[in-house]
Amino acid sequence: MGTPTPITAPSTLSAGQRDALRALIGLMIPASAKHGVPGADDERIFADILASAAPIADRVAELLRRLDELADEPFADLDPARREQVAQRLRQGRSSLLMGLVSVVAQCYYRDDRVMRALDMEVRPPFPRGFDVEQGDWALLEPVRRRSKMYRPT
Amino acid sequence: MNSGRIPWGEGHHDAYRRAFNRVTGMVAICEDLPEEHNMVTLDPVLTDSDGIPAPKISYRLSENSRRMLDHAVARGTEILKAAGAYDVATEAPLRLAGWHLMGTARMGVDPQGSVVNAWGRTHDVRNLFIVDGSLFVTSAGVNPTSTIQALALYVADAMKERLASLFD
């Protein structure tokens, strides 16, 4: 099955905002030679993230403004160590804006063919064929079955 | 990643692989009692573009609801640990989930104890029919949308059968 073309709108982020976003997501999920995978800032994955985040572009833009405020200068212009520091401060704020972006990044990253292959996954969506789940040891639930009732009879 | 269990940066890939295909979860669905502090009113300030007041939802967890959630989390944790879990994360209440508003317009033959009759027409206003989750008397234990749809179709069918005398 070929890679489907997502239904998307063009990104409304400026070039500077895209640079900052790419720098940020590169910190979230960096490339790994050990595991043979690209980072989230890989060109193909970043394009998927930009397209998938288009519906929340205004919130992403707001998040990037906060990032620049924390840095006191454009985030994309910082050296790697300073970027790391500022990104951690952003993360400590536990903003819902950031949580939304992280969800999009993780979703796009882990559906990239190269990443899926590195995880020994079949490169296909779960539907319609599904996946077989290895059955565990049901005897592990015996202590739960043996315990006394925890509800009142009707 | 949002919970912090899968870190950003250098530790990300190893942590992900430790968890991958080894995560499961449980959901407990609880029901609030019919508590008067939970309500839908007309907003005194906010309106739509036509000037119609917006609905204002006031909701907070009561002690009973809180205790139900705590019980559900405790039992769920017990089950998962019995099944071999070594790291159990909990969130109660679950913010990003379905919260359904149901009840307050139950069916019944006695107007003193019910809002609508057996086929959804209100006792007080004969050309007013209620077809949504307001008809529920409890919230049930699973997603209500299919049952709401069934009730809506039921009321619609009842109206069709009675067209000649619908408002009598």
Side-chain angles (χ1 to χ4, degrees):
Chain A
M1 176 185 271
T3 306
T5 305
I7 300 171
T8 62
S11 174
T12 57
L13 297 177
S14 68
Q17 287 172 325
R18 288 198 293 275
D19 287 344
L21 179 61
R22 195 167 186 173
L24 177 64
I25 65 174
L27 291 175
M28 288 183 193
I29 308 180
S32 169
K34 175 184 171 185
H35 296 290
V37 290
D41 56 349
D42 165 84
E43 187 176 344
R44 200 189 314 167
I45 297 174
F46 184 55
D48 188 11
I49 291 170
L50 274 182
S52 301
I56 58 167
D58 55 341
R59 281 177 264 167
V60 173
E62 171 61 28
L63 185 71
L64 295 173
R65 268 192 291 278
R66 286 197 200 173
L67 200 56
D68 286 347
E69 280 170 16
L70 283 173
D72 264 338
E73 59 184 288
F75 181 77
D77 294 344
L78 298 176
D79 63 61
R82 183 92 176 94
R83 273 190 204 170
E84 182 74 47
Q85 261 181 0
V86 172
Q88 285 308 321
R89 283 181 61 198
L90 180 74
R91 199 174 183 201
Q92 280 157 13
R94 295 186 63 79
S95 107
S96 58
L97 295 175
L98 180 60
M99 290 170 74
L101 175 63
V102 168
S103 294
V104 171
V105 170
Q107 182 182 61
C108 293
Y109 183 79
Y110 282 102
R111 67 184 178 200
D112 180 85
D113 290 1
R114 297 161 292 173
V115 176
M116 290 180 76
R117 277 193 206 97
L119 291 167
D120 292 329
M121 292 181 71
E122 291 180 57
V123 181
R124 61 172 178 84
F127 185 83
R129 284 166 47 196
F131 294 101
D132 289 327
V133 176
E134 181 188 327
Q135 292 299 304
D137 180 6
W138 288 96
L140 287 170
L141 288 177
E142 280 308 311
V144 178
R145 291 193 180 103
R146 280 198 302 269
R147 67 163 290 151
S148 54
K149 271 186 195 177
M150 64 176 81
Y151 51 88
R152 290 188 295 272
T154 53
Chain B
M1 283 178 73
N2 278 326
S3 73
R5 276 180 163 68
I6 308 287
W8 291 15
E10 198 182 317
H12 175 90
H13 296 288
D14 285 343
Y16 187 91
R17 278 152 182 75
R18 278 195 298 275
F20 182 63
N21 265 350
R22 293 178 174 81
V23 177
T24 190
M26 293 182 69
V27 174
I29 297 176
C30 299
E31 172 184 2
D32 297 298
L33 291 170
E35 292 144 346
E36 287 191 9
H37 55 75
N38 293 333
M39 67 186 85
V40 182
T41 55
L42 296 178
D43 197 287
V45 174
L46 190 65
T47 66
D48 67 9
S49 55
D50 294 315
I52 296 173
K56 178 178 175 181
I57 299 173
S58 301
Y59 177 81
R60 62 175 171 82
L61 287 177
S62 64
E63 185 199 338
N64 188 71
S65 296
R66 183 73 257 175
R67 287 171 60 196
M68 271 196 296
L69 290 169
D70 291 344
H71 174 80
V73 165
R75 301 288 77 75
T77 301
E78 190 178 333
I79 290 168
L80 290 171
K81 284 189 173 173
Y86 58 83
D87 182 6
V88 179
T90 65
E91 185 178 347
L94 194 62
R95 284 173 57 209
L96 301 178
W99 293 62
H100 298 280
L101 303 178
M102 288 171 277
T104 75
R106 68 183 299 158
M107 290 176 170
V109 296
D110 181 2
Q112 294 303 309
S114 59
V115 176
V116 303
N117 67 8
W119 35 280
R121 188 180 74 181
T122 63
H123 295 302
D124 296 338
V125 181
R126 288 177 175 256
N127 63 339
L128 174 63
F129 297 80
I130 297 178
V131 298
D132 70 348
S134 308
L135 297 173
F136 280 53
V137 291
T138 72
S139 68
V142 294
N143 312 68
T145 302
S146 299
T147 307
I148 292 172
Q149 289 170 330
L151 285 168
L153 288 170
Y154 163 73
V155 172
D157 283 344
M159 291 169 74
K160 280 162 50 181
E161 287 165 15
R162 296 170 172 80
L163 277 177
S165 58
L166 194 57
F167 307 134
D168 291 350

